[in-house]
Amino acid sequence: NKITKQLMEVSQSLIKEDFNSYLSKPPFFTIQPHIPTREKQLGIWSNLCIQYFQKNKITEATVPELNSDSHELFSNKLIKRKLPLDGIMLLLEHLNKLGMIEWKSSDKQSFTIFYYNPMEIADLMYKWAKLNAKIGKIESLQWISEGEDTEPSDKLYGLSLEVLLKGARILESQNKAQVIQTDEREYGVKFLSG
């Protein structure tokens, strides 16, 4: 059908990171009632959101800012369409189930964004530690994200401390790291030979 065809066109444009093409498709601003079409739509929205957040280096967001008329991700003034709040919340719940966002509180008004799922972050951190001879050593999360051993092209570069802490906790559960809290908001990681 026409909507499915437009969804597939948008999916292909996402591969090319052509956000303007996506934003010009009116069906995307209405959550589709047909379950298989809605599932495809949520998948495409999810990919678009994560790419958008990553491209713009957004690691935290709030529902009110995403729901504002001026937010380019969920609003297109040219075609006079905006994803309604219930659609935004459905999408965010979907991203939460995928492990791509984590609510900061029970009111579900703000969240942390994971460009990669937490398991992938843990793997990236451990590979970084091996590559940079950090096994057996302690490094701060900030150093892992912004230090001299992390190139701007590395996936870990610029990630928020909350995101890295989630990855470090996974490594800790795998006995590949020990998380050390140095003060209220500062953490270090001792990488262990796994």
Side-chain angles (χ1 to χ4, degrees):
N1 70 29
K2 184 178 178 180
I3 292 173
T4 302
K5 183 179 178 193
Q6 284 185 326
L7 285 171
M8 295 313 292
E9 287 173 9
V10 170
S11 180
Q12 293 302 314
S13 72
L14 286 178
I15 294 168
K16 299 173 188 167
E17 292 189 35
D18 184 2
F19 296 117
N20 291 331
S21 172
Y22 159 79
L23 293 172
S24 69
K25 307 291 185 196
F28 280 97
F29 292 93
T30 303
I31 297 298
Q32 300 302 308
H34 185 251
I35 299 296
T37 303
R38 182 185 314 145
E39 288 173 2
K40 286 179 187 174
Q41 181 184 30
L42 287 173
I44 294 167
W45 266 111
S46 297
N47 288 333
L48 176 70
C49 286
I50 296 304
Q51 288 179 23
Y52 177 85
F53 293 142
Q54 188 173 15
K55 181 178 180 182
N56 292 288
K57 304 214 182 301
I58 300 169
T59 59
E60 296 179 353
T62 67
V63 172
E65 74 184 89
L66 294 180
N67 191 39
S68 74
D69 289 338
S70 63
H71 200 284
E72 67 181 338
L73 183 58
F74 296 116
S75 179
N76 184 334
K77 292 179 182 177
L78 293 175
I79 61 171
K80 298 179 180 154
R81 296 300 298 251
K82 180 180 181 306
L83 187 66
L85 179 59
D86 61 339
I88 293 170
M89 293 305 295
L90 180 68
L91 172 62
L92 293 175
E93 286 296 339
H94 181 73
L95 287 168
N96 181 255
K97 286 178 188 169
L98 294 174
M100 301 307 289
I101 70 160
E102 187 173 275
W103 296 112
K104 290 181 157 237
S105 63
S106 61
D107 70 357
K108 297 183 177 182
Q109 290 299 297
S110 62
F111 54 93
T112 301
I113 301 154
F114 299 95
Y115 303 149
Y116 315 102
N117 71 43
M119 287 297 293
E120 187 177 356
I121 292 166
D123 288 341
L124 290 168
M125 289 175 73
Y126 201 71
K127 286 176 184 170
W128 176 90
K130 284 177 154 178
L131 180 70
N132 292 292
K134 302 296 184 182
I135 303 298
K137 297 182 180 167
I138 299 172
E139 293 295 338
S140 73
L141 294 180
Q142 186 170 355
W143 182 260
I144 294 169
S145 174
E146 301 169 2
E148 293 174 10
D149 294 327
T150 307
E151 298 292 324
S153 60
D154 291 343
K155 290 181 178 181
L156 294 174
Y157 185 81
L159 290 183
S160 74
L161 301 183
E162 288 178 341
V163 170
L164 291 172
L165 181 59
K166 186 101 170 166
R169 293 280 186 214
I170 290 171
L171 290 174
E172 189 171 48
S173 74
Q174 297 171 342
N175 296 317
K176 292 182 176 180
Q178 179 183 359
V179 176
I180 301 160
Q181 187 169 359
T182 56
D183 70 29
E184 191 175 312
R185 295 248 334 130
E186 303 237 352
Y187 293 87
V189 180
K190 181 177 183 178
F191 292 98
L192 308 172
S193 57

